[in-house]
């Protein structure tokens, strides 16, 4: 007998199964990244995005379609990381907007929902590129629309839609030559197919572990290194989300934060129109929970006894992070609001210090090795006391998440400067002048980006061929703004070759930022070689301390 409807309980199972299937396959999806770099992260980004929503979805005991829609859309929107994660969140956003007013999903509603999902995702991307997750989603939506006109059997519609999505995925190398040359299909499209397959397994009634693990603290291998109880001022790490049932104003938010500060520390209080996310270290979690209940119902509750469970290293690391956050809050609430403030994404102590020296108030730790989420951006915006907040993503895979945060933020004017590399971010900050208007500064900052060529040196994690360059696992690669420019066995030699490719007759300045895995002695030796090769160009050497990349090169 044909199944013709999907109720809220079934949709909940399907979504969680899709999330689980993606989580189980994330490393395989990471390996599909075209560039064989050690930080390929499409699978990780998509997984973190969907798990952000799955944690909220799994907490709903008796789901309605409207509740699921809110949890899926809101959770994925705030948790979105990387281009693939943001696009996935927009697909969910469009889908849930369509289903939220129904009690069950039938064939016509399903077809309309997947079509709206694709429309929403395409609109979120300024220059949609075919041969990506968008193409796979569009192919699936067109097939679902076609099938819904022929049958009301959802099993047949979903199965054939997934088959067609796989077919479209197999054709992505024909649409993007770089995929064909690397011998892979689009990783984002593959991730979407994995989600759909997991959801279909749940629809068919297959036995699946639906449990979504909560976030847990990182623990060391040394089980004897337990933090002494007396060293911890507040013993309970308390987290929960308030599902708002009444208006939550800026004044309410300030009052809530003040109350939490009166009973603990390590405060996080982030609000949007529908939820408030709370984190506090306190000796009485009940007080925080009781206060939260005055604004609405609670979900995603988690209380850890830090005195019993946390090891000494974990506590010290947490205190270090809390101190770093406190240090970044350079603007005290009593100080007047500034016209302009700055947020930069950075990985590496040296690079972060450079940005701070140029006037950046808040550093979001991350970059290519870990793309910050939309929620990370929103939390950073909340810490900068300025009317207009500039965000420097410094990575092409972070721009969409920053842009999404800018559209969500309502209290401040948020401007995303589309910096794709750290050197571009540095150039943008150098070209900002406080006495100029917003428009003039933005124009100057964007103009500065085109004057910067960036190179990055790292190692290959697999064999491949890109732009006719044969690359073997563990080879050293010099990556330019658009492709791999140099391949070799030696770090210094490959870096010199990369610089040769970047420098032209108009080049006046070369900046070399050496990473965490490079000694100062080796970096100075490299600089000497560059100075000898280019005696008429000014050379600067800085310790970036960035992970993964031996050197980051800027040529202007």
């Amino acid at each position: 007998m044909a199944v013709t409807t999907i109720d809220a309980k079934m949709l909940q199972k399907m979504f969680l199964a899709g999330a689980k299937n993606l989580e189980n396959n994330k490393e395989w999806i990471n390996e599909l990244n075209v560039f064989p770099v050690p930080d390929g992260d499409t699978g990780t980004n998509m997984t973190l995005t969907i798990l952000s929503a799955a944690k909220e979805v799994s907490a709903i005991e008796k789901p309605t379609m409207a509740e699921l829609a809110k949890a899926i859309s809101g959770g994925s929107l705030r948790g979105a990381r990387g281009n693939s994660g943001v696009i996935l969140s927009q697909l969910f956003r469009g889908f849930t907007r369509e289903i939220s007013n129904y009690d069950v999903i039938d064939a016509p509603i399903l077809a309309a929902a997947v079509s709206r999902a694709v429309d929403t995702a395409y609109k979120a991307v300024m220059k949609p590129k075919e041969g990506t997750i968008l193409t796979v989603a569009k192919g699936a939506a067109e097939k679902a629309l076609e099938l819904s006109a022929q049958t009301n059997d959802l099993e047949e519609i979903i199965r054939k839609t997934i088959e067609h999505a796989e077919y479209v995925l197999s054709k992505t190398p024909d649409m993007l030559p770089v995929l064909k040359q690397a011998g892979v299909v689009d990783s984002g499209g593959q991730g979407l197919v994995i989600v759909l397959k997991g959801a279909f397994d749940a629809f068919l009634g297959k036995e699946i572990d639906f449990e979504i693990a909560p976030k847990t603290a990182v623990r060391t291998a040394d089980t004897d290194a337990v933090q002494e109880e007396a060293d911890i001022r507040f013993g309970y790490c308390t987290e929960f989300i308030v599902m708002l049932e009444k208006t939550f104003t800026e004044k309410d938010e300030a009052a809530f934060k003040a109350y939490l500060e009166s009973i603990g520390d390590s405060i996080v209080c982030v609000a949007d129109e529908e939820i408030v996310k709370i984190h506090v270290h306190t000796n009485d979690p009940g007080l925080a929970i009781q206060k939260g209940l005055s604004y609405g119902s609670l979900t995603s509750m988690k209380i850890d006894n830090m005195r019993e469970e946390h090891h000494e290293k974990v506590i010290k690391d947490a205190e270090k992070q809390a101190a770093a956050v406190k240090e970044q809050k350079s603007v005290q609430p009593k100080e007047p609001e500034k016209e302009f403030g700055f947020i930069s994404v950075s990985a590496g102590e040296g690079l972060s210090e450079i940005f701070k020296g140029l006037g950046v108030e808040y550093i979001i730790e991350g970059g290519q090795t870990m793309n910050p989420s939309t929620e990370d951006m929103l939390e950073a915006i909340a810490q900068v006391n300025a009317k207009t907040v500039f965000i420097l993503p410094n990575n092409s895979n972070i721009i969409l998440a920053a842009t999404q945060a800018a559209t969500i933020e309502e209290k401040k004017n948020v401007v995303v400067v589309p910096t794709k590399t750290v050197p571009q971010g540095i150039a943008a900050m150098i070209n900002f002048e406080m006495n100029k208007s917003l428009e003039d500064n933005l124009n100057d900052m964007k103009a500065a980006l085109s004057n910067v060529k960036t190179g990055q040196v790292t190692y290959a994690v697999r064999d491949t061929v890109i732009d006719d360059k044969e690359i073997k696992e563990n080879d050293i690669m010099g990556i330019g703004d658009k492709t791999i420019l140099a391949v070799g066995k030696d770090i210094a030699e490959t870096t010199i070759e990369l610089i040769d490719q970047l420098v032209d007759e108009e080049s006046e300045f070369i900046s070399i930022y050496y990473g965490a895995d490079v000694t100062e002695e080796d970096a100075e030796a490299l600089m000497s070689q560059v100075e000898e090769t280019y005696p008429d160009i000014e050379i600067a050497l800085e310790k970036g301390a960035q992970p993964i990349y031996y050197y980051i090169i800027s040529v202007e």
Side-chain angles (χ1 to χ4, degrees):
M1 183 176 177
V3 178
T4 58
T5 60
I6 295 172
D7 62 14
K9 193 66 178 176
M10 175 54 74
L11 181 63
Q12 183 185 44
K13 290 181 179 180
M14 292 174 69
F15 183 81
L16 294 177
K20 269 293 186 182
N21 204 34
L22 182 60
E23 184 181 27
N24 292 339
N25 289 278
K26 67 180 179 182
E27 293 303 331
W28 171 51
I29 296 169
N30 282 342
E31 292 172 4
L32 294 176
N33 282 272
V34 173
F35 282 2
V37 292
D39 52 5
D41 54 6
T42 299
T44 300
N45 283 337
M46 294 183 73
T47 298
L48 290 172
T49 299
I50 200 170
L51 288 182
S52 178
K55 288 178 176 66
E56 297 188 25
V57 170
S58 63
I60 304 174
E61 293 185 6
K62 296 180 180 179
T64 64
M65 206 65 78
E67 288 175 327
L68 286 180
K70 183 183 293 186
I72 293 171
S73 178
S76 62
L77 198 68
R78 292 185 297 277
R81 298 172 187 266
N83 292 343
S84 55
V86 172
I87 292 172
L88 184 64
S89 74
Q90 291 295 323
L91 289 170
F92 289 146
R93 185 184 184 193
F95 184 89
T96 54
R97 279 184 172 179
E98 189 66 31
I99 67 167
S100 60
N101 294 322
Y102 299 97
D103 293 327
V104 296
I105 300 171
D106 60 14
I109 295 172
L110 179 63
V114 293
S115 295
R116 187 166 181 178
V118 171
D119 289 342
T120 303
Y122 266 88
K123 288 176 182 176
V125 181
M126 289 189 65
K127 295 180 180 179
K129 184 182 292 186
E130 297 304 329
T132 66
I133 181 176
L134 289 170
T135 308
V136 177
K138 182 171 67 174
E142 290 172 348
K143 192 65 176 179
L145 190 62
E146 173 192 329
L147 292 167
S148 67
Q150 301 170 3
T151 179
N152 63 357
D153 186 343
L154 290 180
E155 180 178 341
E156 180 182 350
I157 292 174
I158 298 172
R159 175 172 50 79
K160 290 184 176 180
T161 294
I162 294 174
E163 289 173 356
H164 187 69
E166 289 186 290
Y167 169 75
V168 175
L169 177 65
S170 72
K171 294 297 181 182
T172 54
D174 296 330
M175 303 176 205
L176 286 176
V178 68
L179 293 176
K180 178 168 283 188
Q181 194 169 38
V184 296
V185 296
D186 178 68
S187 53
Q190 183 66 76
L192 178 60
V193 169
I194 290 295
V195 172
L196 296 176
K197 283 187 170 183
F200 189 46
D201 283 344
F203 177 86
L204 295 175
K206 293 185 180 180
E207 189 172 338
I208 297 170
D209 174 15
F210 294 108
E211 184 178 352
I212 301 296
K215 294 179 181 178
T216 56
V218 177
R219 303 182 186 277
T220 65
D222 182 5
T223 56
D224 295 324
V226 181
Q227 174 71 12
E228 290 296 328
E229 186 172 327
D231 292 339
I232 307 173
R233 183 182 176 194
F234 297 107
Y236 296 94
C237 176
T238 306
E239 299 177 48
F240 56 86
I241 290 175
V242 183
M243 309 298 288
L244 292 172
E245 295 173 356
K246 60 182 180 181
T247 302
F248 190 78
T249 65
E250 189 172 346
K251 185 177 179 180
D252 291 327
E253 183 176 348
F256 203 162
K257 286 180 179 178
Y259 179 79
L260 293 174
E261 288 170 353
S262 72
I263 63 169
D265 63 9
S266 297
I267 311 297
V268 174
C269 177
V270 182
D272 64 14
E273 293 180 352
E274 298 175 346
I275 71 165
V276 183
K277 181 177 180 180
I278 297 297
H279 172 279
V280 59
H281 291 175
T282 179
N283 286 326
D284 195 336
L287 293 176
I289 291 170
Q290 186 175 357
K291 187 68 173 178
L293 285 170
S294 68
Y295 296 103
S297 58
L298 306 187
T299 185
S300 302
M301 298 176 65
K302 179 171 172 281
I303 300 173
D304 287 331
N305 186 327
M306 295 187 293
R307 293 188 175 96
E308 292 182 358
E309 297 182 5
H310 285 200
H311 299 168
E312 183 175 2
K313 184 177 183 302
V314 176
I315 294 299
K316 287 182 178 179
D317 287 347
E319 289 173 348
K320 184 179 179 181
Q321 292 171 6
V325 170
K326 185 175 181 180
E327 180 185 344
Q328 292 190 75
K329 297 178 182 178
S330 58
V331 181
Q332 298 299 320
K334 293 182 180 179
E335 291 188 7
E337 187 177 48
K338 298 192 299 184
E339 282 296 322
F340 304 114
F342 301 90
I343 295 168
S344 178
V345 179
S346 176
E349 184 178 349
L351 295 177
S352 297
E353 287 302 316
I354 290 171
F355 278 113
K356 289 178 183 178
L358 292 171
V360 172
E361 286 98 333
Y362 196 101
I363 300 293
I364 301 177
E365 291 293 333
Q368 187 62 27
T369 51
M370 174 54 74
N371 296 157
S373 68
T374 297
E375 186 169 27
D376 292 332
M377 300 285 181
L378 291 170
E379 291 178 359
I381 293 167
Q383 300 301 329
V384 178
N385 189 22
K387 295 176 182 177
T388 295
V389 179
F390 289 90
I391 300 180
L392 307 174
N394 301 331
N395 188 293
S396 59
N397 207 31
I398 301 175
I399 293 174
L400 269 182
T403 303
Q404 186 156 276
T407 62
I408 295 173
E409 172 64 34
E410 296 180 346
K411 298 175 183 177
K412 300 173 184 177
N413 179 35
V414 179
V415 178
V416 179
V417 184
T419 53
K420 296 181 179 179
T421 65
V422 165
Q424 284 190 348
I426 292 172
M429 285 302 302
I430 290 173
N431 281 272
F432 179 86
E433 295 184 26
M434 195 62 71
N435 61 344
K436 286 188 176 181
S437 68
L438 169 60
E439 183 178 359
D440 287 344
N441 266 312
L442 186 56
N443 288 335
D444 290 347
M445 294 168 87
K446 286 183 176 179
L449 308 188
S450 60
N451 296 325
V452 180
K453 297 178 184 177
T454 301
Q456 300 179 94
V457 181
T458 187
Y459 62 93
V461 295
R462 68 171 187 273
D463 296 352
T464 189
V465 176
I466 296 178
D467 289 343
D468 298 325
K469 287 183 174 63
E470 186 174 351
I471 300 166
K472 298 295 184 182
E473 185 177 350
N474 294 322
D475 276 356
I476 305 301
M477 301 181 297
I479 306 171
D481 288 315
K482 295 182 178 179
T483 189
I484 296 175
L485 299 177
V487 179
K489 302 293 183 182
D490 181 80
I491 296 172
E493 290 178 4
T494 306
T495 304
I496 294 293
E497 184 181 347
L498 170 64
I499 294 173
D500 287 342
Q501 294 287 326
L502 296 173
V503 171
D504 59 26
E505 294 179 354
E506 297 180 355
S507 300
E508 298 178 349
F509 198 88
I510 299 174
S511 298
I512 302 170
Y513 306 94
Y514 64 95
D517 296 324
V518 177
T519 65
E520 184 178 358
E521 182 181 6
D522 287 344
E524 289 178 346
L526 176 74
M527 182 181 177
S528 296
Q529 284 185 266
V530 177
E531 287 177 327
E532 186 176 329
T533 306
Y534 302 102
D536 298 327
I537 297 179
E538 187 175 351
I539 316 293
L541 179 68
E542 299 279 357
K543 182 178 181 179
Q546 68 273 6
I548 303 298
Y549 292 90
Y550 301 115
Y551 291 100
I552 295 176
I553 309 296
S554 171
V555 177
E556 302 177 58

